[in-house]
Amino acid sequence: MSKVNKVVLAYSGGLDTSVIVKWLMETYNCEVVTFTADLGQGEEVEPARAKAEALGVKQIYIEDLREEFVRDYVFPMFRANAIYEGEYLLGTSIARPLIARRLIEIANETDADAISHGATGKGNDQVRFELGGYALKPGVQVIAPWREWDLNSRESLLAYCDKHGIEVEKKKGKSPYSMDANLLHISYEGDILEDPWTEAEEEMWRWSVSPENAPDKPTYIELTYEKGDIVAIDGEHLKPHEVLLKLNEVGGANGIGRLDIVENRFVGMKSRGCYETPGGTIMLKGHRAIESLTLDRELAHLKDSLMPKYAELIYNGFWWSPEREALQGLIDDSQRYVNGKVRLKLYKGNVIVVGRQSENDSLFDEKIATFEEDQGAYDQKDAAGFIKLNALRLRIAAEKGRLL
Amino acid sequence: MSKVNKVVLAYSGGLDTSVIVKWLMETYNCEVVTFTADLGQGEEVEPARAKAEALGVKQIYIEDLREEFVRDYVFPMFRANAIYEGEYLLGTSIARPLIARRLIEIANETDADAISHGATGKGNDQVRFELGGYALKPGVQVIAPWREWDLNSRESLLAYCDKHGIEVEKKKGKSPYSMDANLLHISYEGDILEDPWTEAEEEMWRWSVSPENAPDKPTYIELTYEKGDIVAIDGEHLKPHEVLLKLNEVGGANGIGRLDIVENRFVGMKSRGCYETPGGTIMLKGHRAIESLTLDRELAHLKDSLMPKYAELIYNGFWWSPEREALQGLIDDSQRYVNGKVRLKLYKGNVIVVGRQSENDSLFDEKIATFEEDQGAYDQKDAAGFIKLNALRLRIAAEKGRLL
Amino acid sequence: MSKVNKVVLAYSGGLDTSVIVKWLMETYNCEVVTFTADLGQGEEVEPARAKAEALGVKQIYIEDLREEFVRDYVFPMFRANAIYEGEYLLGTSIARPLIARRLIEIANETDADAISHGATGKGNDQVRFELGGYALKPGVQVIAPWREWDLNSRESLLAYCDKHGIEVEKKKGKSPYSMDANLLHISYEGDILEDPWTEAEEEMWRWSVSPENAPDKPTYIELTYEKGDIVAIDGEHLKPHEVLLKLNEVGGANGIGRLDIVENRFVGMKSRGCYETPGGTIMLKGHRAIESLTLDRELAHLKDSLMPKYAELIYNGFWWSPEREALQGLIDDSQRYVNGKVRLKLYKGNVIVVGRQSENDSLFDEKIATFEEDQGAYDQKDAAGFIKLNALRLRIAAEKGRLL
Amino acid sequence: MSKVNKVVLAYSGGLDTSVIVKWLMETYNCEVVTFTADLGQGEEVEPARAKAEALGVKQIYIEDLREEFVRDYVFPMFRANAIYEGEYLLGTSIARPLIARRLIEIANETDADAISHGATGKGNDQVRFELGGYALKPGVQVIAPWREWDLNSRESLLAYCDKHGIEVEKKKGKSPYSMDANLLHISYEGDILEDPWTEAEEEMWRWSVSPENAPDKPTYIELTYEKGDIVAIDGEHLKPHEVLLKLNEVGGANGIGRLDIVENRFVGMKSRGCYETPGGTIMLKGHRAIESLTLDRELAHLKDSLMPKYAELIYNGFWWSPEREALQGLIDDSQRYVNGKVRLKLYKGNVIVVGRQSENDSLFDEKIATFEEDQGAYDQKDAAGFIKLNALRLRIAAEKGRLL
């Protein structure tokens, strides 16, 4: 075990990370700096201050990072239409790089030589925190208590608290699930979900009503895009995190954004997770719609071909990497003309595109596309040569008896 | 204009292709063979016989290709989770290669030297028909009347009918849309849809009720998969086209599968189309679910990375090509272990996965994935080395000041 | 045939394009502007002036574009390590976009409504010229005489000259090959090369000695790179085109850069071509070497995975397209740290890397890579966990009996 | 440390693996089975028997795997034109999966519960051995002594030998390099190569003469291909490993196949290696040539786009994986028509293609490609429409002012 003088801990204020504070002090005989961020998880962060103080922490960082989170992480990711394994909108993955960055920045500010987090050794989050940490401060030491200690059950954690005088809140109605939340989503794992054949319980979900319980009348919204990002809803200009707050609200109210999947973790196992991503689900649909009108075909297809790779990078924790940055550059650049409006109908779990327009940047050319007389905008005879030359190699192969 | 002796026409029995029969006879002074296929479009095909006879056609082919269509075209495509431009399930595209193949086979049987179709010079279907034709019979001549004649309005077509004694049915409630239908979907283009900002009218849709009008109670179904294909619904074994018929029925009744998009045609323009694909929408969701349990991660990601290319090939008309066949081989081979069951909840436009299981082929390993004590199935300490070596190149780069 | 007032012609001064000048005047009754560029083809361009004047041309553009050609087209392409079909360095392809651009710019300056070129209807160059033209001036009219006229043999061309008083130079030793040259390469097609089993004749090659005739002593050179481009040779700072001139000279003298391939044209046929690219062959090898030291692994692999697409775009004529520009942005951005020196040994056709170094940007970390004692720079035990987790999915699959 | 009863060791007979035999017996108190394979490394394998016996080994496997190695590993890989990072022909990588497989098969035969190898903790080979081992026998235990023991210098190894009575051969002229050899190549790392700016010494190379010392007269050879594999040289039918033996001989004699690169290891560091791959270098060139004549364009481009991924998989040790097998299926299938002959000229380091032909499977259509009168085989007018529709999206974008 290396010598550590000071460690910055990603601190939620909950039981696990409170135990970690004490365990770090005791095990490494070091100073602990706590860092608690409001990423829109929907819980107060300020109470973490008193808890940290009670544990003997001297340097306490509590920050509202919601705007930065959406502006610099969520929005760039949605420019790519990123989906992991055809389904997952990467809600947990996208928050980790920001936390990793703040951990390192605080380590630099406070002269700490280590960072620590409460993620287990089985999951993706440890990878995301630590790859970020190493990428941003190559010499940093990382302490992952769950991989080191032997407090591997709730009972042993409670016993530890008891022994060290750590106050344990008695929450009633504590969720049996392992959860993570931020402005983009809330996730659920564990408990009955460990059987992929078992349906999730209605009471598990927290951010959305079920489609059944959603209003019987649809809600229409209009999203305004500039360079691929939403800048206004129903004509009202909003900051990035306000956009997402608003879409979560209207999406959740209409039963939108629930997902139940089995996914492949970077560490090599499959796991089952349920996710609520109301605003993100709307954003994906809306973004595809505005791109469909304004993006060149081949640029769109290039983006589509790169998307699985890009999503995998974020899922696996390589946000802070040369390859993600290179792809981001291409993606951001592609959004230059992704400007305009999308009209959506939200109804009982459905996000339905009902209109899209772009005053200056639409590549939809009605006079060419029309089924009516087009005044020569398009010469149908051109298609004959187009097809003939596209077919030439096929015909030569066919003459050799290759096809059929 | 080359000399043509006999031409096989893809004949629907409608106004346009009836005019084409006559126009071919007159223009090319040739014999016309008609081919009419039941692909599940929902209209009787038998009446085409009398119409063709009335036009003087001697050789008339009328065939029920529904089983072949689903078994050899739709199912293979769904093994790939194919989606064009993030949204479109390729309903029209996938029927064309089968029609092209039958046109050529009939040409061979009847000693015809040409084939013909009623697709316009602006669309994708001409390309799909013709690439298929050339690939399967490289010396065939293709006649595309819409690119040759000057009957470019409904008025001129009617005048032509009048002059040539072609009977025109007076349908009431004729759709103002350009439509195409088969067992996989029905499509709508033109008319008010030519403005992408205008919402489609409720009365346009034919195969599905709206989510609003769907039942207030969900329907649960269970799909059984063998090698990536659905072989039973709710335990009842079905042929491929019976599967799709059944899923269309239950999907359409639950408001599932409507889509409204702007897409990029192969000929270079954007167009707006609306699609109803109730069964296909269910199939995509179900297939992803069974794959999530049974497919290896890297194989799944490889498939995802190839999918956009595969979908583009089908959209562009390259079904009958060496590259599509190569990809198909890989995709089909990947499905060896995609066996098991998926349970779905259908409700007002939503397809919700609520369970998936595979007796022999699940790669979900509960004893490894569990949040509980895992008896050493997984050694969390391994993660430290895993992360360290994944981070090594990032740390070296960071030491050079590259990141942040 | 549309009405044309003035057309800008890519004019070489040779027989074919001289005939085209006259044919355009006569056929379209229009004014002709000639444009002749020095791209380093190794022939004087100034004589084209008198010839054009003799044909009655009033507006004559003759330009030295060598620096621009290498700086803005050749160098950016080599940043990508672009190779078409594993072999071809795209020498002809990369010159066309620059010519297309100047044709359009001159058309704009001279108020011309059309452009014209001397490329045949079978090749790739027509596509490259015209796609560029349309992309840069969407309403331009393009005249491709070889697709329109009936002067399809040398005899008919000579007869045309005779009839119209066009002076024909009697060159002795006229090459029987169809050739194209610029600073990057010279190409040969046709004649005996039309049989892919026939070896090219030694006397065909113009820019390089054969390896057999190259000096018996190797030549060493040192290339200095900044952001992926060569800025100095043997310590001497040079402009881009001077770099290529110098490398062509030393490469050609050492028998470097001959290539004999069968390639796939965009129009659908295979063709056989021979190419001499002495400088380019050296540049490719050198660039790979400096990247090997300075580029991050995953960024390098991302570039490699995109390269075939990028090369195909250039080959097919899509230089002026959103997708090529997007890829270029990524590629250029990747070169930020590609700085340093490469030492090469040139000997009888071989380009051998013998050293590479980068003062500030090398990611080769000798203290980690060493076979000697590394003082803890790398902990070999980390590899165990790294391998274990990389193996996890394979082991789970193997337990299901999937592998072997 | 887990209990081990019997371990199968990849045993070369050299100092390191001899120490490992003893160390395993002593450390794990287990039985050791040795496995020594002739993969064409050019050293006798039979002497390993006496050495193993002297060390007290009871079960000794010595096998000639040369034919299997080339037939089932090298040839399949060359069907893909696999190159890692633009340069490396994967000579070491491709031998490891076969060794891993035999280790596991022998473990199964001898009832051993573990395997072991002599690869260090810094390199790729440990990964390749172990991923293979885990994939083929998921419960196997792997012992990697270099990651466990403290014998980290030649001195400590010699001291260990002295203490345990292991006889050490005194070779004169022992190479200072870390080397690996098999029929495909020989590799060199370490010593003066650890400075990437230092040129390799001429005396390092073992299998090839330098280009300078190669004959002054070229050697011509003719390769016959069936389904992408070489089956005959100069008309003489040969088994796979005989092909490679022959090509190594003629290649080495002509100074072909030396390579000096910096490469990126899977474990995250860059390393510098020199390789001699005479036969492989010829095979790559020849295979590209026969494919250029017989492979469809789009299938060839698909292969090219997948190649970097495929090469990376082999380099990283994922030969025994679902994704490599899926790609292999596609690649093998693509070779159905890759039949014919290639004629090569070998001269002082150069492999020059001078002819290729395929009686039945050539897609080179001389009557279409010709520069002479083609009798209507190709209608040049088709190109106009082909270009126009390829340009359509560019023109629409240009009208919006997007390009230039």
Side-chain angles (χ1 to χ4, degrees), chain B residues 346-378:
Chain B
L346 312 179
Y347 176 71
K348 285 188 182 285
N350 297 277
V351 184
I352 301 162
V353 179
V354 295
R356 61 302 262 168
Q357 80 180 175
S358 175
E359 211 172 331
N360 302 312
D361 298 302
S362 172
L363 297 175
F364 179 88
D365 191 327
E366 207 169 328
K367 70 180 194 297
I368 287 178
T370 185
F371 279 82
E372 313 297 321
E373 172 57 56
D374 69 5
Q375 321 288 351
Y378 176 97

Side-chain angles (χ1 to χ4, degrees), chain A residues 87, chain B residues 69-71 73-82 89 183-184 221 223 225 228-230 233 240-248 251 256 277-291 342 344 346 351 353:
Chain A
E87 300 277 7
Chain B
F69 173 50
V70 180
R71 185 188 64 223
Y73 299 81
V74 175
F75 272 17
M77 181 173 77
F78 274 80
R79 288 174 208 144
N81 304 316
L89 294 180
L183 253 184
L184 182 53
I221 58 170
L223 307 177
Y225 283 87
D229 295 338
I230 300 171
I233 299 178
H241 67 296
E242 294 168 344
V243 164
L244 196 41
L245 273 166
K246 176 74 186 163
L247 293 180
N248 279 337
I256 287 164
T277 321
T281 302
I282 297 171
M283 282 170 62
L284 176 67
K285 196 83 178 176
H287 189 256
R288 279 251 174 227
I290 190 65
E291 281 197 340
V342 173
L344 298 171
L346 312 179
V351 184
V353 179

Side-chain angles (χ1 to χ4, degrees), chain D residues 246-304:
Chain D
K246 177 74 187 166
L247 293 179
N248 279 337
E249 188 192 307
V250 65
N254 282 290
I256 287 164
R258 292 184 176 185
L259 182 67
D260 176 342
I261 57 168
V262 172
E263 74 197 58
N264 291 292
R265 289 193 189 149
F266 188 28
V267 294
M269 72 186 69
K270 288 183 184 291
S271 71
R272 195 261 191 101
C274 289
Y275 302 97
E276 273 172 300
T277 320
T281 302
I282 297 171
M283 282 169 62
L284 176 66
K285 197 82 179 177
H287 189 257
R288 280 250 173 229
I290 190 64
E291 281 197 339
S292 77
L293 203 63
T294 58
L295 209 58
D296 169 74
R297 181 185 72 199
E298 292 302 311
L299 190 50
H301 291 198
L302 177 61
K303 280 189 68 203
D304 281 351

Side-chain angles (χ1 to χ4, degrees), chain A residues 305, chain B residues 305-314 323 327, chain D residues 298 302:
Chain A
S305 75
Chain B
S305 76
L306 293 171
M307 187 277 280
K309 170 87 182 171
Y310 176 85
E312 186 186 82
L313 287 173
I314 294 178
E323 64 275 23
L327 289 172
Chain D
E298 292 302 311
L302 177 61

Side-chain angles (χ1 to χ4, degrees), chain C residues 155-170:
Chain C
E155 288 65 39
S156 53
L157 285 174
L158 290 174
Y160 190 94
C161 289
D162 198 40
K163 187 173 154 196
H164 293 81
I166 302 171
E167 198 180 342
V168 179
E169 285 180 85
K170 301 282 184 295

Side-chain angles (χ1 to χ4, degrees), chain A residues 135 138, chain B residues 393-404, chain C residues 293-294 337 358-365:
Chain B
R393 67 181 174 94
L394 303 175
R395 285 172 51 214
I396 294 171
E399 270 162 14
K400 293 284 174 179
R402 291 216 185 160
L403 292 154
L404 211 67
Chain C
L293 202 64
T294 57
Y337 303 107
S358 175
E359 212 172 330
N360 302 311
D361 297 301
S362 171
L363 297 176
F364 178 88
D365 190 328

Side-chain angles (χ1 to χ4, degrees), chain C residues 18-90:
Chain C
S18 292
V19 169
I20 289 175
V21 170
K22 213 68 186 177
W23 181 88
L24 286 169
M25 290 171 169
E26 198 179 46
T27 310
Y28 286 86
N29 193 25
C30 66
E31 217 175 309
V32 175
V33 180
T34 58
F35 162 59
T36 309
D38 184 356
L39 293 164
Q41 60 268 50
E43 282 176 13
E44 292 296 311
V45 289
E46 202 44 44
R49 188 180 308 276
K51 292 181 185 171
E53 281 170 356
L55 290 161
V57 175
K58 303 276 170 35
Q59 290 175 292
I60 297 169
Y61 284 76
I62 294 181
E63 301 176 355
D64 180 351
L65 297 177
R66 294 176 305 156
E67 180 170 358
E68 184 178 353
F69 173 51
V70 180
R71 186 189 62 223
D72 296 343
Y73 299 81
V74 175
F75 271 17
M77 180 173 78
F78 274 81
R79 287 173 209 145
N81 303 315
I83 313 177
Y84 183 68
E85 298 188 339
E87 300 277 7
Y88 174 41
L89 295 180
L90 297 161

Side-chain angles (χ1 to χ4, degrees), chain C residues 84-87 101 120-122 126-127 130-131 134-136 138 146-147 178 189-190 194 196-199 211-212 218 220 222 259-262 264-272 285 288 291-293 295 297 301 304-305 308 312 318 320-323 325 341-343 345 347-350 353-357 363-364 366-372 374 378 380-381 383-384 386-388 390-391 393-395 398-399 403-404, chain D residues 84-87 101 120-122 126-127 130-131 134-136 138 146-147 178 189-190 194-199 211-212 218 220 222 259-262 264-272 285 288 291-293 295 297 301 304-305 308 312 318 320-323 325 341-343 345 347-350 353-357 363-364 366 368-372 374 378 380-381 383-384 386-388 390-391 393-395 398-399 403-404:
Chain C
Y84 183 68
E85 298 188 339
E87 300 277 7
R101 185 176 132 184
T120 82
K122 281 190 176 180
Q126 56 174 344
V127 190
E130 299 179 27
L131 289 182
Y134 289 129
L136 299 175
W146 284 98
R147 298 199 306 253
S178 172
E189 295 182 300
E194 292 192 0
W197 186 245
T198 303
E199 185 171 356
E212 288 91 332
Y220 282 82
E222 189 184 289
L259 181 68
D260 176 342
I261 56 168
V262 172
N264 291 292
R265 288 193 190 149
F266 188 27
V267 294
M269 71 186 69
K270 288 184 184 289
S271 71
R272 195 260 193 104
K285 197 81 178 175
R288 279 253 175 225
E291 282 197 339
S292 77
L293 202 64
L295 209 57
R297 181 186 72 200
H301 291 199
D304 281 351
S305 75
E312 186 186 80
F318 290 97
W320 298 112
S321 72
E323 64 273 24
E325 290 180 356
K341 285 185 207 168
V342 172
R343 206 160 153 262
K345 176 182 170 183
Y347 176 70
K348 284 188 183 288
N350 298 275
V353 179
V354 295
R356 61 303 262 168
Q357 81 180 175
L363 297 176
F364 178 88
E366 208 170 327
K367 71 180 192 298
I368 287 179
T370 185
F371 279 81
E372 314 297 322
D374 70 3
Y378 176 96
Q380 299 207 18
K381 288 184 182 49
F386 178 72
I387 296 170
K388 280 259 190 70
N390 271 301
R393 67 181 175 94
L394 302 174
R395 285 172 52 214
E399 271 162 15
L403 291 155
L404 209 67
Chain D
Y84 182 68
E85 299 188 337
E87 300 276 7
R101 187 177 129 184
T120 80
K122 281 190 175 179
Q126 56 174 344
V127 190
E130 300 179 26
L131 289 182
Y134 288 129
L136 299 175
W146 285 98
R147 297 199 305 252
S178 172
E189 295 182 300
E194 292 191 0
D195 175 1
W197 186 244
T198 303
E199 185 171 355
E212 287 92 330
Y220 281 82
E222 190 184 287
L259 182 67
D260 176 342
I261 57 168
V262 172
N264 291 292
R265 289 193 189 149
F266 188 28
V267 294
M269 72 186 69
K270 288 183 184 291
S271 71
R272 195 261 191 101
K285 197 82 179 177
R288 280 250 173 229
E291 281 197 339
S292 77
L293 203 63
L295 209 58
R297 181 185 72 199
H301 291 198
D304 281 351
S305 76
E312 186 187 82
F318 291 97
W320 298 112
S321 71
E323 64 275 23
E325 291 181 356
K341 286 185 207 168
V342 172
R343 205 157 155 264
K345 176 181 169 182
Y347 176 71
K348 284 188 182 287
N350 297 277
V353 179
V354 296
R356 61 301 263 168
Q357 78 180 176
L363 297 176
F364 179 88
E366 207 169 327
I368 287 178
T370 185
F371 280 81
E372 313 298 321
D374 69 5
Y378 176 97
Q380 300 207 18
K381 288 183 181 49
F386 178 71
I387 297 169
K388 280 259 189 71
N390 270 300
R393 68 182 174 94
L394 303 175
R395 285 171 51 214
E399 270 162 15
L403 292 155
L404 210 67

